[in-house]
Amino acid sequence: MLRTIRAFWHDQRGIALILVCVTLPAIIGFSLLAIDMSRVNNLHNDLQKGADALALADAAELDGKADSITRADFALATLVSNKYTFSTTAGPPATLAAAGVTRRYLKSLPATDNLPIAAANIITDEVGDASKARYVEIKVTPVGFSAIFPVSFLSPGASGSFNVGAVAVAGFSTSVCDFTPMFICNPYSSIQALGDTLRGNKRPMVALKAQGGGNKYGPGDYGFLKTPDGSQATPDLTNMFASTKPLTCYKDDGVDLAPGNVPPINAGINVRFDIYDKLDPATYPPAPNVRKGMAKQVDKQGNCSYVTPTGTPAANYMKLPQDKCFSAPGGCAGITGFSRLGNGVWDLPTYWSVNHGTSTLPADLPADSSRWTVYNYEITHPGLTNVAEQTLPQCNPQKASTDPKRRMIYVALLDCVANQVQGSHGPYPVQAFASVFVTEPAGSPPSADIYGEIIDITSKAGNGTLDNFLRDEVQLYR
């Protein structure tokens, strides 16, 4: 008998069944928890994907126009819906659409993502301030979820039901690419006022001036932007100005300035005029028309350059003239404190006579043509008589560009007064981006003047010629 008891005591057969019975509640409990976690995670993912899609569809309409919120609400109501499962809603998967969310339009975002959206960020007047709406917050109305795990088993009275929601913030911005890293302070009272001057044949001339004393910029001053990787080194900026298509993109919701003294980037602009100062002619081509009122010279070493002609032959050289009012008594009628804003009236007959031997303009060249129009006319009519200076580059003809826009620079327009633009602050919002036809080689520091015609601007105030530079970007921010 004792032997039988001892054998039974040492017999380990069937012990696994005992262990399973002891641990079975824990195994089932962890399994249910894993199932519940998977279900709630899938539910939240479905809701979050729906919120993201609704936010992106809504934000795509926030283009700064007066009807942007009306169009955004229509997109929210009609364009997107998303199915979600595992909620307490009975039946097949439910649909998340505009009726299941609330939206708020924002004019700005907090400085960092960990900060909550404040009253200062929110558009309160959705009619009057619709053009200021840049972002939208979509908040999903929480939906119910019931866990399978018996929570009341662990804590009497506890419930396994709770709500699941989602939030998304998306925004609209416009970027420009292949852009020179430069800004100018808008010399006009508004972008619309500038756009109004770009109708018809004439184009206003602006005598751009490097930022003067102190550290504040005023109307007509110019400065430079940091490269997309944050560099403000003079060689980097100069090379970007010299490039045919700088590999840069800038957003209109804020640009960072490159503060400090204006660097000598005139070398990067002047390669377009076939003038090379320590830059490789093989890398940076000149424009197809480089007329600038200068004569070619070749030194004993065979180096080609240009000089201002002197003596009698000088009468046969003439660059594209500045607006007549620049040399008139009292100057041009610009805005207060800025007299370097022209009216687009210049001496075309004299220019044509000096360079092409007659003051009679071709029948297909209007008398009020802009300098940009005349420049292009000379390119497309190679049979024109040239009295002295040729339109084609003389020092680097084998590398000449065929693109007339090689004489253009592209700049960001800032409201320097309203935004109190200073070199050590920013980023600053961009009113618009502009194309500027450079009419003569850039001046050297300390004057650093750049004369040019504003050809077009982005935004609804422009003529649409810069549309190929624009990239409308919609992205999620939160």
Side-chain angles (χ1 to χ4, degrees):
M1 182 67 178
L2 184 61
R3 181 181 301 171
T4 301
I5 293 173
R6 186 181 295 113
F8 177 77
W9 180 259
H10 291 288
D11 191 351
Q12 297 185 5
R13 291 176 295 176
I15 193 171
L17 179 61
I18 299 174
L19 294 176
V20 168
C21 292
V22 172
T23 60
L24 186 59
I27 294 173
I28 295 174
F30 279 116
S31 298
L32 293 178
L33 282 176
I35 293 172
D36 282 341
M37 290 298 295
S38 176
R39 291 171 64 237
V40 75
N41 185 63
N42 285 339
L43 173 59
H44 179 265
N45 281 344
D46 289 344
L47 296 177
Q48 188 62 58
K49 289 176 182 178
D52 291 347
L54 289 166
L56 289 170
D58 191 301
E61 303 298 329
L62 302 180
D63 55 2
K65 297 181 181 179
D67 63 341
S68 61
I69 288 183
T70 300
R71 287 184 282 106
D73 282 344
F74 183 77
L76 181 66
T78 60
L79 292 184
V80 178
S81 64
N82 193 58
K83 302 290 185 181
Y84 62 91
T85 54
F86 302 118
S87 72
T88 55
T89 304
T95 299
L96 176 65
V101 302
T102 57
R103 92 292 188 271
R104 289 195 299 182
Y105 291 103
L106 314 174
K107 56 187 173 183
S108 61
L109 293 177
T112 58
D113 287 345
N114 63 314
L115 296 176
I117 293 173
N121 304 121
I122 302 170
I123 296 288
T124 55
D125 182 359
E126 294 187 357
V127 176
D129 291 337
S131 61
K132 298 179 181 179
R134 304 298 296 271
Y135 310 92
V136 63
E137 178 194 52
I138 297 294
K139 185 176 292 186
V140 176
T141 303
V143 299
F145 175 83
S146 293
I148 301 174
F149 185 85
V151 179
S152 59
F153 178 78
L154 299 178
S155 177
S159 173
S161 298
F162 53 90
N163 292 328
V164 179
V167 179
V169 176
F172 179 98
S173 64
T174 298
S175 298
V176 293
C177 297
D178 301 335
F179 209 78
T180 43
M182 182 176 177
F183 75 90
I184 64 174
C185 298
N186 185 7
Y188 288 82
S189 59
S190 67
I191 287 299
Q192 187 59 54
L194 171 55
D196 290 342
T197 68
L198 304 179
R199 310 292 183 251
N201 294 327
K202 293 190 298 184
R203 291 293 183 271
M205 170 168 269
V206 178
L208 300 176
K209 183 76 174 179
Q211 176 238 332
N215 196 32
K216 290 187 177 181
Y217 293 83
D221 287 343
Y222 74 81
F224 303 101
L225 306 177
K226 292 181 180 180
T227 65
D229 59 3
S231 172
Q232 60 187 58
T234 297
D236 292 338
L237 296 179
T238 301
N239 289 338
M240 287 177 64
F241 270 91
S243 298
T244 302
K245 286 190 174 182
L247 300 179
T248 56
C249 292
Y250 291 100
K251 290 187 175 182
D252 61 357
D253 56 0
V255 291
D256 291 309
L257 311 188
N261 294 328
V262 176
I265 56 87
N266 54 297
I269 292 178
N270 291 345
V271 294
R272 304 158 191 260
F273 289 88
D274 201 30
I275 299 174
Y276 294 90
D277 180 13
K278 300 179 182 179
L279 292 177
D280 183 11
T283 303
Y284 305 111
N289 182 348
V290 299
R291 192 185 300 278
K292 51 192 172 291
M294 301 178 74
K296 170 189 172 183
Q297 72 171 9
V298 180
D299 62 20
K300 294 180 180 179
Q301 287 73 40
N303 298 315
C304 180
S305 61
Y306 293 89
V307 296
T308 301
T310 58
T312 303
N316 297 328
Y317 291 83
M318 187 178 188
K319 64 185 178 182
L320 286 166
Q322 299 170 7
D323 282 356
K324 292 181 180 180
C325 62
F326 283 150
S327 57
C332 299
I335 66 173
T336 303
F338 179 62
S339 60
R340 302 190 304 276
L341 179 61
N343 55 14
V345 178
W346 59 289
D347 193 355
L348 172 54
T350 300
Y351 171 85
W352 202 261
S353 177
V354 170
N355 289 294
H356 302 299
T358 175
S359 58
T360 302
L361 300 177
D364 56 345
L365 185 64
D368 62 348
S369 293
S370 67
R371 281 154 286 233
W372 169 246
T373 298
V374 172
Y375 161 84
N376 280 281
Y377 191 93
E378 291 175 329
I379 294 174
T380 56
H381 294 76
L384 289 173
T385 299
N386 293 304
V387 175
E389 185 180 7
Q390 304 296 308
T391 58
L392 293 172
Q394 301 299 299
C395 290
N396 193 19
Q398 66 277 11
K399 294 293 183 179
S401 172
T402 59
D403 185 1
K405 294 180 181 178
R406 185 69 176 121
R407 282 266 295 271
M408 275 190 179
I409 57 175
Y410 302 91
V411 301
L413 289 169
L414 307 185
D415 188 340
C416 295
V417 175
N419 292 296
Q420 299 181 356
V421 173
Q422 300 183 48
S424 58
H425 300 278
Y428 295 103
V430 177
Q431 289 185 300
F433 294 93
S435 54
V436 178
F437 169 57
V438 182
T439 59
E440 58 188 83
S444 299
S447 62
D449 291 339
I450 298 175
Y451 288 87
E453 286 183 334
I454 300 178
I455 303 303
D456 201 3
I457 57 175
T458 58
S459 84
K460 61 181 180 181
N463 295 319
T465 63
L466 291 180
D467 288 350
N468 60 318
F469 283 89
L470 294 175
R471 291 185 181 181
D472 290 340
E473 298 179 350
V474 182
Q475 69 178 76
L476 290 169
Y477 288 87
R478 292 190 174 193

